[in-house]
Amino acid sequence: MISYNEKERIFKLDTPNTSYLIGIVDEENFIGHIYYGKRLRDTEAAFLMRTGEPPYVPSKNNRERCSFYDCFPFEYPTGGMGDYRESCLTIRTADGHTGSMLSYVSHEIFDGKPELNGLPATFGTEQECNTLRIICEDKYAGMQVELLFSVFHDTDVITRSVKITNIGQKHFYLTKVYSACIDMDNNDFDMISLHGSWARERYIQRKTLGYGIQNVSSFRGQSGHQDHPFLALVDKNTTQEHGEIYAMNFVYSGNFCAQAEVSQFGFVRMSMGIHPENFCWKLESGESFQAPEVVMVYTDKGFDAMTAAFHKLYKKHLIRSVYKNKKRPILINNWEATYFDFNTEKLLSIAKEASQLGIEMLVMDDGWFGKRNSDTCGLGDWVVNEEKLNGGLKYLVDEVNKLGMKFGIWFEPEMISPDSDLYRAHPDWAIAIPGRPSTEARQQYVLDLSRKEVVDYIYEMVASVLRSANIEYVKWDMNRQLSNIGSICLPADRQGELYHRYVLAVYEMQRRLTEEFPNLLLENCSGGGARFDPGMLYFSPQIWCSDDTDAIERLAIQEGTSLIYPLSTMGAHVSDCPNHVLGRTTPFETRGIVALAGTFGYELDVTKIAQKEKDMIPKQVALYHQFNDLIREGDYYRIASYQKNHLFDCWQVVSEDKMEALVTFVQVLSRPNYKSKRILLKGLAEDKQYKVCFVNDETIESKVYSGDTLMKAGLLIPGLFGDFQARLIQLVAEA
């Protein structure tokens, strides 16, 4: 709930276990951050703003106004007036001036949560959340700023966003707009971020937070493989079960900056928003700019509690798809099976074999359109190549449907190949700087989606294909990042808007797609997992986690991803061996067990794999149907990390009623004189008795243990012979 103490001029935002306090101080109505932490009974914490000590507030000591600005814990700091820490908002007026300062004007508190115009955001009913809107102004710049805070009654999350409106007579330019900031004392923090590259996304990185600015960011036009729009500050002793965490995650799919700054006084400023690199947004009189949303989580109970808060919010208040609470069809994708070399007969041969094994959907990947026989041409020509698909797309789909299978298809709608009919007709539709040679990546350019005619044309091409047959799944890919940023349709003083306009257009296209085809299962993808972010999850309930499908590499990738995102969102498949990315060979059984922690499917040619592996597929399909409801809806716990111990990985999912649990154990490296491993389980009911069954090892007898014993004394995993071995352990509570 949200309350306002009018006498003290303090706002108090309460989640089930946390409180967030904002104060208004001095005659000039500065808006200060007071507290974010464990839930408080009252608002008696204004002293934390330190206004009773030097340099005092300006009304008491105006000669040190600049010093006040440089140490006051601003709720939403601006630049150019004397606060020399990183600002959240900077502007340039029509006269060329850059300083600004905000003062509180008014506020309102209401039930529910408003939508953000043109942007994905979390949602909640009037019974599920409350919202605080604080109106502040810079009267000299003619600028009004709305600070929006929402709290959810069922999880320890606070969301924030910002809207800037030009209420003056002259235009001004926004040169930086962050969405959230927290000023607080430094508790000798470590900084947690997720880093990587193609095929190595979202590895967890932990390092000491020192003086100055430390950030993770992207100005590639997307959230990116390399860094992730997530940041957490944690105390030195934080573990899975214990310790303080302040975390932020950005509901946005474009350029971002997430950073922490330790000031000269030892204070910390943590902030997040759109990256200011090449960003400049012109606001005419009466116009507004809506910044994306930041999700904030505080806990003093370690990473498990942080993860639980993010997972619950995203499952209940972000993902909108009709599939969000439904089992997804087990699919087989033809990419690693055929690459570009396929036709109707080849696809149907895969589908026939797959249908007999229990696989439920065939997905036709890249190469079905235009003259696309390699990755050098054809993007933008979204017309079926009937030389490959003899009989046409509808015939293929109908034949697949007759087998009892669904049909899905791959698109890369944001791209255009220089060698395409579309580019030959409209070369100006590609993002480019006039007169400068364009930069190719994968021999393709990026379409200028800031132009309505481009968006409408591409959307209609994609939608026409979907209307032509019973297509129930779309994989939306994006295989290169933005460069040569220029649009021939934007005036010179609006070229800095292109990055953001591009992202808004992607959101608009996916909104139109999901509204016209409400039962479509949409899976986002970007060269694997380059755009795995909350903005994409708003439109698609799952995202392809990584192009690296090797089961062992996936352990670290899926651990980092599941630190924030529910298992149900992670596209995870069983692929062929030797693995097509790194050449490793792992047991087929282990590949299946690791993929069970995601959406589950196959990336191989079932007509060519060994009979022994083919025989395992019905068993893996059965395991998926047995456990997917639990994996999708249950509470996730991290037991052990291969990234840390270099030997084995282990995680657990527990049903909400604590009647069932599933433990996944993967031995990466074997050792001589191998002994059993003792693991401490989590999330069980101490007073329940659980039957423990090793699902994929019939040599181990099922036994019954109390939840108390399993969590405090542990469970023994018998020693396994060989590298890359995996075990599934089911726990069922006795009635």
Side-chain angles (χ1 to χ4, degrees), residues 368-369 379-384 393 409-415 422 447 449 454-469 471 473-477 509-510 512-514 516-517 520 522:
W368 58 267
F369 54 92
L379 289 173
D381 297 340
W382 302 110
V383 178
V384 175
L393 178 61
I409 196 168
W410 176 96
F411 288 97
E412 194 172 0
E414 302 164 56
M415 301 294 151
L422 182 61
L447 285 165
L449 298 184
V454 177
V455 170
D456 289 345
Y457 178 87
I458 294 298
Y459 176 80
E460 186 57 33
M461 292 286 285
V462 170
S464 293
V465 173
L466 298 182
R467 297 181 197 122
S468 71
I471 298 170
Y473 163 102
V474 163
K475 182 179 180 181
W476 181 304
D477 207 346
M509 292 173 73
Q510 295 204 358
R512 290 169 65 178
L513 190 72
T514 54
E516 181 174 352
F517 306 97
L520 185 74
L522 176 63

Side-chain angles (χ1 to χ4, degrees), residues 332 346 348-354 357 604-610 614:
I332 185 166
K346 177 59 179 175
L348 286 177
S349 70
I350 293 174
K352 288 173 183 176
E353 189 72 36
L357 299 172
L604 43 75
D605 188 343
V606 287
T607 68
K608 293 182 178 179
I609 61 174
K614 190 182 297 185

Side-chain angles (χ1 to χ4, degrees), residues 623 627 662-663 665 677 679 691-703 705 715-720 726-731:
L623 287 175
F627 293 120
L662 184 68
V663 177
F665 180 94
K677 292 280 193 310
I679 59 172
K691 183 179 181 180
V692 179
C693 173
F694 284 75
V695 178
N696 64 324
D697 193 338
E698 297 177 356
T699 66
I700 302 175
E701 180 184 355
S702 298
K703 294 185 178 180
Y705 304 94
L715 175 69
L716 294 180
I717 308 295
L720 303 174
R727 291 294 180 267
L728 276 180
I729 303 102
Q730 180 190 27
L731 292 83

Side-chain angles (χ1 to χ4, degrees), residues 5 14 16 90 195 250 259 276 306 321 368 521 548 558 564 603 626 629:
N5 185 320
D14 289 327
T90 59
H195 72 91
F250 201 25
Q259 64 185 27
M306 181 200 75
S321 168
W368 58 267
L521 174 55
D548 192 338
Q558 293 179 190
I564 318 169
E603 298 268 341
Q626 180 180 358
D629 287 347

